[in-house]
Amino acid sequence: MITTARSGKNTFKALDYLYGPGRRNEHTDPHLVASWDGFAPDPGRDSEATLAQLRDALDLHVVRYGHPVKKHVYHRMVRADPTDRNLSDEEWGAIARRVVAAAGIAPDGDPDGCRWVAVHHGDNHIHILATVIRADLTQARLRGDQYRTETELTEIEREYGLKDWSGTRTPKYRAGIPKRAKSPELRKAERLGQEETGRARLRTGVRRALAGAAGEEEFLARLTAQGIEFEVRRLPSGDAKGYKFALPSGDPGGPVWFSGSQLAADLTLPKIHERFATGVDQPAPHRPVGQGQPDTVRYRASTTVDHITTVIDDEPQPGQVAAVVSGTIEILDTLAITSPVLSRKEINQAARALEYAAVARTRAARTEVRAMRSAARELLYAGPTGSRSGEEGTAAATALSSLVLLAIIIAKWHAAQGHRHQADAARTAADHLRAAYTRHAAKPLAHLDLEGRRLPEAIRDRQETALRRALPADQASGVLAEDSWAALAATLAEAEAAGHDPNALLANAAGRRELATADSPAAVLTWRIRRDAHLSTPAPAATPDELRTRAARARTTSLTTGTPATPVITPPAPVAPDQVRRTR
């Protein structure tokens, strides 16, 4: 169950809202399920009762108090999860009595508690409305009411068999997740027909500007390129104190500013500078031909991810996992910027889901952060890739398959620590990455499958023997039963023809961890071997639709995900001081 509380100064206005249709006609059949004495007038079920009568009853002690109280109305909502069963009025009444007792409105056994009512009006939730003056004409002690209420809700969830949200009530979880949008922000996004709130779009834009950035000047220049406004707040000494960010706005009131901490815990100035301090490996300005191509860089990124996978697969320290989650988000953000439209949205959603799998209040391991930030930087410098089904598709599929397995490992670690919601977030990220992987892998796999089915039987038998030597018997049998086995056989035959030893390639590819949890171990082995053996993938002739897509991509690099566009950076280009013109 989730609960939020707010305060107000007009009891009648609050009651009018609770008994009214709601802001979007979501209130149906409003009625009392509990009150301070069980005899409060109910305008929802008693035709003779009025809102004014209920207001006067609730405000009795406020009037008797005789002194002005700035905000005497206490309003708390308690909502069950959508997957929970519908609770009866009697159950909601019992829950309301426990909540007001825990909050300090009407403690158990206290005859002088505040007056309160609980209104149920559909959608499996209640609103508790109270006045904060007690019968002994003192003010209720409500400090810490949110924590006490949430502790009680944890017990209620267990006793009533409801979804367990206790994992989200820890300080560590609250410190790690992105800051949620408030109701006015949600209503504004809905009114404007936007899928995300301004806060969410701004957070994504800031993360994309940060991904792989070597230092503050580059970071701020990328913000400017996206159209994101910023300010560097400074102390009297001139030292930087914090960041403020805003999306461009045509509103008369000007842009809505958010500090870094209002976006996410890791987007504060100290945390961002901590990333810069780890350093990044700069792409060489004069690399050999092909070394900076998008497909080659994606292969290198997948190698980095595979190495990181082995680092955290056994018993990693929290700092290592924190570094991996942070670095993976940076890699995904750069992939979302530089990937074709067919997978961009899924990759972006994977990055956003992984934000909820962060490890809070832990110093990230510098080695892992540097490796993954460097991979993100190289992806960004390599520029966008197309949607061709040949080498670019194979390279993208290879990188995404590695990222799927890494997301699975992150989920397993959180599950082992009892972090159920963080584990769910990592699994959600893995699901989005699978969807993106499928879109890139389908055509290359179909081509390799055709080649594999054309292999002479003797060659297929030889590759089967190599596979059985490299894998345990049960895993080998599973791979041979897969539809993707023909593609793997074709890859092994191609590598053998190029002078590689299939046995060594298989042993190396299968020796990496997490193969057993892959949806298709045969496909994972295929991509790893093609990458390790530097095998190219011939591309079938482009269809007219693909040609039109390429032409459109050449004309524009703007994003369609609703977040500010991030232009691709071409090295080496130091940032001129006049580019950072909005700091103060």
Side-chain angles (χ1 to χ4, degrees), residues 143-313:
R143 185 171 183 175
D145 64 313
Q146 183 70 18
Y147 299 108
R148 295 193 301 272
T149 300
E150 290 184 345
T151 299
E152 186 65 25
L153 287 179
T154 297
E155 292 296 317
I156 290 171
E157 288 163 351
R158 181 181 59 80
E159 294 177 21
Y160 284 76
L162 306 176
K163 183 174 181 179
D164 180 10
W165 284 96
S166 59
T168 67
R169 296 171 183 142
T170 64
K172 273 194 172 184
Y173 182 82
R174 289 193 184 97
I177 65 171
K179 304 306 178 184
R180 298 184 183 275
K182 300 186 182 300
S183 296
E185 298 174 59
L186 296 170
R187 290 196 294 272
K188 181 178 180 180
E190 183 179 352
R191 186 173 65 253
L192 297 177
Q194 297 171 341
E195 292 184 6
E196 294 182 307
T197 63
R199 186 195 299 251
R201 291 184 290 120
L202 181 60
R203 178 167 49 241
T204 299
V206 172
R207 286 199 185 281
R208 290 185 174 182
L210 180 62
E216 184 177 56
E217 286 189 347
E218 183 180 0
F219 167 56
L220 298 180
R222 290 188 192 175
L223 291 173
T224 300
Q226 294 186 73
I228 294 177
E229 301 183 45
F230 61 87
E231 292 181 5
V232 180
R233 295 180 291 128
R234 299 191 180 278
L235 297 169
S237 63
D239 295 333
K241 177 184 179 182
Y243 292 123
K244 288 173 61 178
F245 309 100
L247 292 174
S249 171
D251 294 342
V256 179
W257 291 91
F258 293 91
S259 66
S261 62
Q262 290 174 317
L263 298 178
D266 63 336
L267 293 182
T268 61
L269 185 145
K271 289 294 184 181
I272 289 175
H273 283 195
E274 188 177 301
R275 295 198 201 197
F276 296 150
T278 64
V280 289
D281 299 325
Q282 300 282 350
H286 305 292
R287 287 177 287 189
V289 176
Q291 288 301 300
Q293 295 299 315
D295 52 352
T296 305
V297 169
R298 277 162 172 72
Y299 283 132
R300 282 203 293 271
S302 71
T303 301
T304 299
V305 172
D306 281 349
H307 173 70
I308 293 295
T309 299
T310 63
V311 169
I312 69 166
D313 192 24

Side-chain angles (χ1 to χ4, degrees), residues 332-375:
L332 292 176
D333 279 330
T334 53
L335 280 175
I337 293 168
T338 59
S339 291
V341 174
L342 83 162
S343 61
R344 186 181 298 160
K345 184 175 181 180
E346 293 288 355
I347 295 173
N348 179 64
Q349 288 176 329
R352 304 291 71 82
L354 210 57
E355 291 177 345
Y356 290 87
V359 183
R361 298 184 179 178
T362 301
R363 184 173 295 277
R366 295 173 68 96
T367 302
E368 285 75 13
V369 168
R370 183 184 180 95
M372 300 195 78
R373 297 199 76 237
S374 298

Side-chain angles (χ1 to χ4, degrees), residues 294-306 309 335 390-406 433 436-442 444-445 448 491 512 523-535 537:
D295 52 352
T296 305
V297 169
R298 277 162 172 72
Y299 283 132
R300 282 203 293 271
S302 71
T303 301
T304 299
V305 172
D306 281 349
T309 299
L335 280 175
E391 197 61 45
E392 292 175 342
T394 301
T398 304
L400 289 168
S401 68
S402 297
L403 287 164
V404 169
L405 296 181
L406 183 57
L433 290 170
Y437 160 81
T438 301
R439 294 173 184 176
H440 283 283
L445 275 179
L448 291 171
T491 295
R512 300 188 181 99
V524 173
L525 290 171
T526 297
W527 306 130
R528 288 177 176 176
I529 289 171
R530 299 197 72 82
R531 179 195 65 200
D532 296 345
H534 306 289
L535 302 177
T537 303

Side-chain angles (χ1 to χ4, degrees), residues 13-79:
K13 185 176 180 180
L15 289 171
D16 186 54
Y17 167 73
L18 295 185
Y19 279 92
R23 293 188 175 92
R24 292 176 293 277
N25 295 315
E26 72 274 23
H27 295 178
T28 59
D29 186 25
H31 59 279
L32 292 185
V33 293
S35 65
W36 73 94
D37 62 356
F39 299 103
D42 183 5
R45 292 289 172 86
D46 184 352
S47 60
E48 296 183 358
T50 66
L51 294 179
Q53 288 176 336
L54 184 54
R55 176 206 55 197
D56 292 343
L58 285 168
D59 280 350
L60 176 64
H61 301 320
V62 178
V63 174
R64 291 178 56 221
Y65 187 59
H67 304 288
V69 181
K70 186 175 182 180
K71 290 187 176 181
H72 67 271
V73 178
Y74 180 90
H75 180 188
R76 176 173 291 279
M77 184 273 296
V78 182
R79 183 184 297 275

Side-chain angles (χ1 to χ4, degrees), residues 503-570:
N503 294 283
L505 287 172
L506 275 168
N508 184 50
R512 300 188 181 99
R513 307 297 180 88
E514 280 305 314
L515 186 63
T517 61
D519 295 331
S520 173
V524 173
L525 290 171
T526 297
W527 306 130
R528 288 177 176 176
I529 289 171
R530 299 197 72 82
R531 179 195 65 200
D532 296 345
H534 306 289
L535 302 177
S536 61
T537 303
T543 65
D545 287 342
E546 289 174 330
L547 291 174
R548 284 193 291 271
T549 300
R550 291 181 207 172
R553 183 174 60 85
R555 289 192 297 269
T556 179
T557 57
S558 63
L559 302 180
T560 61
T561 57
T563 54
T566 302
V568 176
I569 298 172
T570 55

